[in-house]
Amino acid sequence: MKDQQALMITADLFTDNDIKDCDEILPDVYLLKGFALQQASQLLITIEQINAQSTFRKMQTPGGFYMSAAITNCGDVGWHTDRHGYRYTAIDPLTNLAWPEMPQCFRELAETAAQRCGFSDFNPDVCLMNQYEVGAKMGLHQDKDEKDFSQPIVSVSLGLPIIFQFGGASRNDPKQRIPLEHGDVIVWGRAARRYYHGVLTLKPGQHPLTGPYRYNLTFRKAS
Ligand code: MD3
Ligand code: FE
């Protein structure tokens, strides 16, 4: 009952019914449409502050190709790839300093979203941040560099929309496509933690807050 009331109060802050509380779009995959809309401009200011310390950069894969999305991190560790492989590091190899601290407004958003979807003790230690320019994409992959698969991942989309694609635990499983828009949050855990996923090529556009870019924040418990 209390939760219901809180939800109604939250929903009242939005002009129309653009907030859906935790829609389970597949088993263990939850879409919180517009959940981060209210904080979006604050999040973008904070992204810019992190970018000033540890800038977005295109990383090299072990195969020698460069990813088309530019990446940075905040938190106790950060995800990194180069010719030697994928891993989490405590030091940003570009600055030789610790990754920027995870801001409180990031942590609160991630924990609240996870809680709404039944993950009551999510305690992320890293936020992996992707910046997509027009033409950038992310091929089908699994997130499997984290130690603890019992923890969910929370994703926050900002700026231009993109088509998100996800299947099952094996690469050939049938795939679904859903558009992810500014302010959308996805939470996935349990079985879905191992699902293959990616995003299609970012189409040209201008977003009032991010111009020709899309940002995605993924909150994880890596170590
Ligand atoms: C996985 N990022 O950084 S997150 C990544 O939009 C990454 O930048 C993408 O994959 C991005 O590793 C996608 C969103 C997402 C949503 C639902 C999922 C990933 C999912 C459901 C199952 C598995
Ligand atoms: Fe991923």
Side-chain angles (χ1 to χ4, degrees), residues 91-218:
I91 299 293
D92 176 353
L94 195 62
T95 62
N96 285 315
L97 299 170
W99 295 100
E101 247 185 271
M102 190 186 301
Q104 194 53 30
C105 63
F106 275 29
R107 173 175 300 283
E108 268 173 29
L109 173 62
E111 291 182 357
T112 313
Q115 205 158 47
R116 290 282 183 103
C117 304
F119 299 98
S120 54
D121 46 47
F122 183 43
N123 187 221
D125 57 6
V126 51
C127 173
L128 167 55
M129 304 159 66
N130 298 327
Q131 180 194 55
Y132 294 85
E133 61 186 14
V134 171
K137 62 182 186 321
M138 193 170 287
L140 214 60
H141 67 277
Q142 293 171 298
D143 294 358
K144 55 182 183 190
D145 300 326
E146 300 75 26
K147 270 202 190 115
D148 185 358
F149 275 49
S150 71
Q151 294 271 337
I153 296 183
V154 173
S155 142
V156 180
S157 290
L158 296 166
L160 288 180
I162 206 161
I163 306 291
F164 173 69
Q165 175 173 238
F166 65 110
S170 47
R171 188 174 273 280
N172 309 321
D173 285 341
K175 277 140 207 93
Q176 296 208 8
R177 289 179 174 185
I178 53 161
L180 287 181
E181 298 173 308
H182 181 69
D184 289 353
V185 174
I186 298 207
V187 178
W188 70 100
R190 306 185 189 99
R193 189 64 185 68
R194 292 165 192 281
Y195 287 1
Y196 276 88
H197 60 279
V199 297
L200 305 188
T201 305
L202 189 72
K203 296 264 164 47
Q206 282 291 331
H207 188 276
L209 296 182
T210 68
Y213 293 102
R214 169 181 186 261
Y215 294 91
N216 182 261
L217 312 178
T218 47

